[in-house]
Amino acid sequence: MVAAKRIAALALFSGSVSATGNIIAQYIDSWSTAPRRVENKFFVLFPGYEPAQTLRFFVYGVSFAPISFRWHAFLNSRFPLVASAKAAASKSATASAQPLSDKARAVLKRIAVDQTVFAPFASGAFVVGMGLLEGLRSSDLVERIRVQYPRVLMVGYLVWPAAQLINFSIVPLMYRVQFGSVVGLFWNTYLSWSSAQMKRDQQRKACASNTVCI
């Protein structure tokens, strides 16, 4: 029961961070693009703001947080950073050096597994998940995966290895999703911007292929 409440709290936190990142991205985008028609009349933070887009990011953040938590729990159990008392006693002669070496190896293994297994999955889940939440047609979804997925994955490799080095070596398990979400505030700002760019590109292509474009 306690674990379920903790995961629920983490999910809400992650959803809120994802939504905040989207709001920041939309705000930045509103200053870098031409004014757009405001269809929503009831909740406008700034010209061109789309609350439905923020809601999609909130839903995705809430949905993906439990998966992220379970993954971190797996890494924590598979590559523990704290040696057992028996192991520590048997290495008393090298107590000053060996524990640090063991911890460093465990951290590097975690990062390697995380970036080779989870990062490609998480990037794909985002691209596909957001496409489904937007209601894209199958052909448009395939095109988005083809174009956006490599971009998201490559930029992620520039951000997350360093962040996970800190996350795995310093941050306790119960706070790793929160830490990832704080880093994810900046990451989700980029993802929101990337999705907006991709959406506009697809709309331009759709307009170019039709004689009438609204």
Side-chain angles (χ1 to χ4, degrees):
M1 188 65 178
V2 175
K5 289 182 178 180
R6 178 179 296 173
I7 293 176
L10 292 175
L12 290 174
F13 178 81
S14 296
S16 299
V17 170
S18 295
T20 302
N22 175 260
I23 292 173
I24 294 172
Q26 287 198 59
Y27 181 75
I28 295 172
D29 194 53
S30 71
W31 287 94
S32 60
T33 59
R36 300 189 299 276
R37 182 179 59 187
V38 180
E39 298 180 356
N40 172 65
K41 303 295 184 181
F42 301 100
F43 187 68
V44 180
L45 292 179
F46 42 82
Y49 174 66
E50 299 178 13
Q53 188 181 138
T54 301
L55 179 60
R56 287 194 294 269
F57 270 79
F58 177 80
V59 170
Y60 177 80
V62 169
S63 302
F64 197 75
I67 299 174
S68 181
F69 177 82
R70 298 297 184 189
W71 173 252
H72 286 300
F74 164 75
L75 291 178
N76 190 62
S77 62
R78 184 64 180 83
F79 306 106
L81 299 181
V82 181
S84 65
K86 182 177 180 181
S90 65
K91 297 179 181 180
S92 58
T94 57
S96 60
Q98 191 64 29
L100 179 59
S101 177
D102 290 343
K103 182 177 180 179
R105 281 197 295 268
V107 168
L108 293 177
K109 286 179 181 178
R110 285 189 185 193
I111 294 174
V113 173
D114 184 70
Q115 294 302 303
T116 56
V117 176
F118 193 69
F121 166 75
S123 297
F126 169 79
V127 175
V128 173
M130 292 305 299
L132 293 175
L133 288 172
E134 290 177 19
L136 293 181
R137 297 175 303 178
S138 58
S139 58
D140 292 332
L141 181 59
V142 170
E143 175 66 10
R144 180 167 295 192
I145 294 171
R146 184 186 71 81
V147 176
Q148 189 181 19
Y149 175 71
R151 295 177 183 174
V152 171
L153 185 61
M154 290 301 101
V155 175
Y157 282 141
L158 298 177
V159 174
W160 287 107
Q164 296 295 46
L165 179 62
I166 298 173
N167 203 12
F168 291 149
S169 60
I170 299 174
V171 181
L173 174 63
M174 68 176 64
Y175 299 118
R176 282 180 192 145
V177 173
Q178 291 100 315
F179 176 85
S181 293
V182 171
V183 177
L185 176 61
F186 302 97
W187 177 241
N188 278 288
T189 300
Y190 163 75
L191 291 179
S192 297
W193 174 85
S194 176
S195 292
Q197 291 290 108
M198 188 66 199
K199 186 176 181 179
R200 279 197 291 270
D201 289 344
Q202 289 181 313
Q203 288 174 341
R204 281 195 291 265
K205 289 181 180 178
C207 290
S209 64
N210 291 278
T211 57
V212 178
C213 181
I214 299 176

